[in-house]
Amino acid sequence: MQHADIAIVGGGIVGLTLAAALKDAPCRIAIINKGLIDQPLGDKPGARVSAINQANISALKKADVWQHIDASRANPYNAMHVWDKDSFGDIHFAGNDTGGELESDTLGVIIENLALVNGLAHSVLKQDNVVVIDTTIERVLSSSQQNMLMLENGDALSCRLLVGADGANSFVRKQANFPITFRDYEHTAIVANIRTQQPHENVARQAFTPTGPLALLPMRDPNVCSIVWSQTPDAAKTLQGYSDSEFCNALVAASNNALGPVSLETSRTAFPLTMRYAREWAKDGIVLVGDAAHTIHPLAGQGANLGMQDALALAALLGTLLEEQKDIGQLRYLRPYERARKTEAMKMIAAMDGFKFLFDGNDPLKKLIRGVGLAATDKLSAVKQAFVNHAMGL
Ligand SMILES: Cc1cc2nc3c(=O)[nH]c(=O)nc-3n(C[C@H](O)[C@H](O)[C@H](O)COP(=O)(O)OP(=O)(O)OC[C@H]3O[C@@H](n4cnc5c(N)ncnc54)[C@H](O)[C@@H]3O)c2cc1C
């Protein structure tokens, strides 16, 4: 039987961010992940991407991870354009709207999820305090002093702290009986890469349509965007039934022809969207991070950003506890993490609910409010600065 001080179940963006942030911590870490944590990137850019904000980019640089990321699979963007398709509402953000908070004009980076995971994995695999186990966990037996993990490969692993970083359908969360609140967003996100006739000029665009938002995220190729098109389930079903050219025509119409005619670079994948919020994130010996603790609507591109901030906050707390030789498994020591991060997640869930409510449908009053609201925010530099700084995690 093996032993680790910290067992992280899940080697995705969040689990690996936690391990990387603990690189100098005096502890033994085991990462348990279904499949290899570093997988080869395809020749063509993948359609699963994330807009990673400045706060997390800085943290990855500080943890010496950033240099391991394949720069050809990440694209900095320096402006955002958001508009309401059916009203006069329109807003532009640029690097200088942060009030000098940024080192450069870059607002963030659109990065293929796999490229980010690979960069993290290359860094983590070099750490002396980490072992990676390619398997799944089948059972957790917890006592007041330790957790015993029964693994699918037949081994067992004991640990003082078990971290559930195993995504939206977290096995750890279920095994530990953390209660969760969940709600169907009644949106399905269609994800694909498209080639555009006009160059994107490193601008992230989002059009709010009555049936849901359409994001056009600028990729490394100046004429390729990754799209996240969230639609009501019926509208998404109709779109998925379209031929490629019908789909592209609908997309051009939904984006007000923002980048001219488009063609598909990848197949389209649909993700039903659910809000999940674990009502407890910690108990003696067990703690949750990332999608295991919360899932939110992708309309503001904040899910992975939020999860990475969970990981960084937990790493900072564990680093201090280990330095002070305190018991990292005790709930009373884990509480500050739980309190702080639950509050941030709740604020983000509420913000996403507010945006979704305001931008859904054709209600004339809502149309007026969003038209006036976007136009006014565009003019009020202090409000705009607050918005953009929040989105950048600054
Ligand atoms: C359409 C869409 C667009 C999005 N766009 C953005 C964006 O622009 N910006 C942003 O910040 N966020 C975005 N998000 C959210 C983001 O993708 C997620 O929040 C993020 O990937 C969650 O990372 P995670 O590491 O918590 O979970 P996951 O990525 O789900 O990783 C979990 C890991 O755990 C492993 N695992 C699961 N179960 C077990 C088990 N039993 N045993 C061992 N291993 C296990 C899995 O193999 C996986 O490696 C988007 C989400 C969607 C759906």
Side-chain angles (χ1 to χ4, degrees):
M1 189 186 28
Q2 304 176 61
H3 176 77
D5 300 301
I6 302 171
I8 303 173
V9 181
I13 294 170
V14 176
L16 293 180
T17 300
L18 174 63
L22 287 168
K23 72 180 164 67
D24 298 321
C27 59
R28 279 168 296 171
I29 303 168
I31 300 172
I32 299 155
N33 189 68
K34 264 196 283 214
L36 293 175
I37 56 169
D38 55 337
Q39 288 174 28
L41 287 166
D43 295 339
K44 284 179 112 187
R48 281 310 307 273
V49 307
S50 294
I52 296 300
N53 66 25
Q54 278 293 349
N56 285 318
I57 294 170
S58 301
L60 292 178
K61 284 183 179 164
K62 214 166 131 196
D64 296 328
V65 171
W66 198 247
Q67 77 257 28
H68 296 291
I69 289 175
D70 182 341
S72 70
R73 312 307 278 261
N75 190 45
Y77 62 99
N78 44 33
M80 286 190 279
H81 180 199
V82 180
W83 68 97
D84 183 25
K85 189 168 159 45
D86 286 344
S87 81
F88 52 90
D90 190 289
I91 190 164
H92 295 259
F93 297 105
N96 53 14
D97 290 321
T98 60
E101 294 280 341
L102 294 176
E103 277 174 36
S104 68
D105 278 350
T106 299
L107 289 174
V109 166
I110 308 296
I111 181 166
E112 287 174 54
N113 285 7
L114 201 51
L116 178 53
V117 168
N118 273 352
L120 284 159
H122 285 149
S123 178
V124 163
L125 289 167
K126 288 196 168 80
Q127 286 178 221
D128 293 337
N129 61 352
V130 168
V131 292
V132 180
I133 308 171
D134 177 356
T135 188
T136 60
I137 54 167
E138 290 198 320
R139 238 177 122 195
V140 181
L141 304 169
S142 298
S143 73
S144 59
Q145 288 311 307
Q146 66 172 5
N147 297 295
M148 184 73 73
L149 312 184
M150 315 308 282
L151 307 178
E152 195 195 31
N153 64 8
D155 288 345
L157 176 88
S158 65
C159 66
R160 181 62 192 119
L161 183 65
L162 168 62
V163 182
D166 48 348
N169 296 311
S170 170
F171 180 78
V172 173
R173 185 184 68 220
K174 288 174 197 155
Q175 281 279 297
N177 287 320
F178 285 118
I180 92 159
T181 298
F182 63 95
R183 181 163 32 83
D184 188 345
Y185 274 123
E186 292 173 2
H187 267 176
T188 297
I190 300 175
V191 172
N193 286 347
I194 55 165
R195 180 161 292 281
T196 61
Q197 189 183 65
Q198 291 164 30
H200 52 58
E201 294 176 322
N202 301 323
V203 178
R205 294 173 173 81
Q206 177 133 278
F208 282 96
T209 78
T211 43
L214 163 64
L216 300 153
L217 306 172
M219 302 283 277
R220 195 72 177 180
D221 183 320
N223 289 83
V224 172
C225 286
S226 173
I227 61 150
V228 182
W229 196 357
S230 304
Q231 290 283 283
T232 56
D234 283 348
K237 207 168 161 192
T238 305
L239 286 174
Q240 284 298 69
Y242 282 172
S243 67
D244 285 358
S245 66
E246 288 168 331
F247 179 84
C248 288
N249 290 341
L251 197 141
V252 169
S255 69
N256 289 354
N257 200 21
L259 294 168
V262 305
S263 57
L264 280 167
E265 285 277 288
T266 63
S267 56
R268 315 164 222 159
T269 314
F271 298 88
L273 301 176
T274 304
M275 185 282 285
R276 295 179 188 82
Y277 178 71
R279 296 198 294 279
E280 286 169 23
W281 292 23
K283 50 177 64 173
D284 275 320
I286 308 182
V287 67
L288 300 179
V289 283
D291 274 20
H294 48 74
T295 58
I296 62 169
H297 198 293
L299 72 87
Q302 291 294 339
N305 284 302
L306 201 58
M308 290 171 80
Q309 288 294 314
D310 296 343
L312 295 167
L314 183 60
L317 176 70
L318 295 177
T320 307
L321 294 175
L322 287 161
E323 220 168 82
E324 293 172 356
Q325 299 191 336
K326 290 194 172 135
D327 178 0
I328 55 172
Q330 276 196 36
L331 177 59
R332 65 186 170 127
Y333 294 136
L334 298 170
R335 277 274 194 238
Y337 160 78
E338 183 189 41
R339 260 197 304 272
R341 295 310 302 163
K342 268 180 88 173
T343 308
E344 287 306 309
M346 193 29 101
K347 281 198 264 182
M348 195 63 83
I349 287 169
M352 294 311 106
D353 282 359
F355 274 118
K356 185 170 177 291
F357 170 76
L358 187 62
F359 284 93
D360 248 1
N362 274 317
D363 182 281
L365 180 61
K366 286 207 266 182
K367 266 168 86 171
L368 179 68
I369 294 170
R370 54 202 194 217
V372 172
L374 285 175
T377 307
D378 202 33
K379 300 269 176 313
L380 296 169
S381 58
V383 179
K384 197 164 161 178
Q385 195 172 312
F387 252 118
V388 81
N389 282 348
H390 198 78
M392 296 306 99
L394 296 170

